[in-house]
Amino acid sequence: MPEYGYFLSCEQYGPAELIEQARMAEQAGFQALWISDHYHPWNDEQGQSPFVWSVIGALAEAVSLPIETAVTCPTVRMHPAVVAQAAATSAVLTGGRFRLGVGSGEALNEHVVGGPWPPAPVRLEMLEEAIQVIRRLLTGEEVNHRGAHYTVENARLYTVPDQPVPIDVSGFGPKATELAARVGDGYITMMPDASMVERYRAGGGAGKLVSGGTKVCYDTDADRAVATVHRLWANELLPGELGQVLPSPKHFEQAQTLVTEDMVRENRVCGADTDAHVAELRKFADAGFDRVYVNQIGPDLRGFFDLYRTKVLPQLQRAA
């Protein structure tokens, strides 16, 4: 049976709100937490973007759930040596309950330091080298590294966890999935695609954690929920590689004019129908996922957590 977790959105909520949501999630019976790592929100309507590592420090004290970044890009905005230190400290603070989720990133967050945004094959090369650097540093040894993309000189982490931090790799296409299978301790993807899970497991990921996530909008008025999703998260329905290459929230707002409310209605669970919420999460279970995370888009957080505590999570557990 999969574990079910809650997905904390740094793009939509401030630090104090995220901590309160984590407490609510634990009380509702969720078993783990994901938290996004962004410099910008996707659009101005979302309106937030706190520094994820500060929030994780607070989460370590507020809840007892496992925590994972979904996902950190350790290649451009932050050097992998710095990400390694952040991950090590997070693992120590949480008593080993931290996993580092990594991916090749988006221009939206990474170009802010003024460097070029490489093409996808180069980004995957950078990600693989960054993971190598992070793993070495997490051992506590002194690291000197001169690679194709990164240099590390006389770097040593003095505060490290007793056990290595698991590093899960995000993948949405065949090449990224193959990279995840080759170098990751787990695999992250946002589509309940059994073929990608099978590709991951066949490529070297057998027995490793596969995690997926989705967003829903609980509201007693389904049409209002659709309007809320359309206003806040229409970016998720943009086609192709736009999510990786557009550089600013304003560009996403321009592109989102292509997304209609009917598209939202067809692609997102909107409303209070328990069966619809259960079916959405069950897609991931049926596709072979080990952990499934869900995020509430709308403002009725209490209603969402009450529904999942009393109906959705119990029904999923009975079905298993």
Side-chain angles (χ1 to χ4, degrees):
M1 182 181 72
E3 294 182 335
Y4 293 96
Y6 187 71
F7 191 175
L8 297 166
S9 171
C10 283
E11 302 96 316
Q12 192 177 341
Y13 297 101
E17 294 171 301
L18 293 168
I19 302 307
E20 181 57 26
Q21 286 181 35
R23 292 193 181 103
M24 295 168 75
E26 186 167 37
Q27 292 165 4
F30 285 97
Q31 298 165 285
L33 296 172
W34 259 2
I35 184 166
S36 56
D37 179 359
H38 268 237
Y39 194 90
H40 290 140
W42 296 98
N43 54 59
D44 284 357
E45 282 290 333
Q46 291 172 0
Q48 293 287 344
S49 201
F51 189 52
V52 69
W53 302 104
S54 300
V55 179
I56 289 171
L59 288 171
E61 294 297 309
V63 296
S64 62
L65 298 177
I67 302 165
E68 178 166 20
T69 52
V71 294
T72 291
C73 178
T75 60
V76 176
R77 172 170 44 110
M78 290 180 66
H79 191 283
V82 179
V83 174
Q85 185 182 29
T89 300
S90 297
V92 170
L93 279 172
T94 59
R97 292 180 285 117
F98 178 74
R99 297 180 76 95
L100 177 63
V102 298
S104 59
E106 304 94 12
L108 174 72
N109 300 303
E110 306 307 317
H111 86 290
V112 296
V113 294
W117 185 237
V122 177
R123 299 202 304 270
L124 290 176
E125 287 178 10
M126 295 172 72
L127 179 61
E128 184 166 5
E129 185 178 338
I131 291 170
Q132 293 169 356
V133 169
I134 291 167
R135 286 198 196 282
R136 288 183 63 193
L137 285 165
L138 288 171
T139 66
E141 68 180 71
E142 182 177 305
V143 173
N144 289 280
H145 171 88
R146 293 188 183 278
H149 302 286
Y150 302 106
T151 298
V152 181
E153 293 184 351
N154 306 118
R156 178 186 172 191
L157 297 181
Y158 282 80
T159 301
V160 294
D162 294 333
Q163 299 296 324
V165 177
I167 301 176
D168 299 339
V169 180
S170 173
F172 299 97
K175 291 182 179 179
T177 300
E178 289 163 9
L179 174 64
R182 188 171 69 252
V183 306
D185 297 307
Y187 175 50
I188 292 171
T189 191
M190 298 298 288
M191 295 295 292
D193 187 336
S195 66
M196 297 304 287
V197 175
E198 291 166 5
R199 179 188 290 268
Y200 171 73
R201 299 225 185 267
K208 298 179 181 179
L209 185 71
V210 175
S211 301
T214 188
K215 293 181 182 293
V216 301
C217 186
Y218 169 85
D219 195 308
T220 54
D221 184 320
D223 289 337
R224 184 170 60 203
V226 168
T228 298
V229 176
H230 187 257
R231 177 173 60 86
L232 290 170
W233 285 94
N235 60 281
E236 289 214 320
L237 299 179
L238 292 174
E241 296 183 52
L242 290 178
Q244 284 70 53
V245 301
L246 294 179
S248 78
K250 292 296 184 187
H251 291 101
F252 279 94
E253 289 166 7
Q254 293 164 10
Q256 284 169 197
T257 60
L258 301 172
V259 178
T260 66
E261 289 196 359
D262 283 342
M263 293 168 64
V264 170
R265 193 172 281 105
E266 293 170 5
N267 289 280
R268 282 287 173 263
V269 173
C270 294
D273 182 355
T274 300
D275 290 342
H277 286 265
V278 169
E280 175 68 12
L281 273 63
R282 191 171 286 158
K283 291 176 187 175
F284 289 87
D286 292 345
F289 285 72
D290 302 304
R291 282 186 181 170
V292 185
Y293 296 82
V294 60
N295 170 255
Q296 159 67 353
I297 290 176
D300 190 356
L301 290 159
R302 179 58 63 191
F304 167 86
F305 283 116
D306 284 346
L307 179 73
Y308 274 68
R309 175 179 57 82
T310 61
K311 296 181 180 179
V312 176
L313 294 178
Q315 190 166 323
L316 288 165
Q317 290 158 359
R318 285 197 301 270

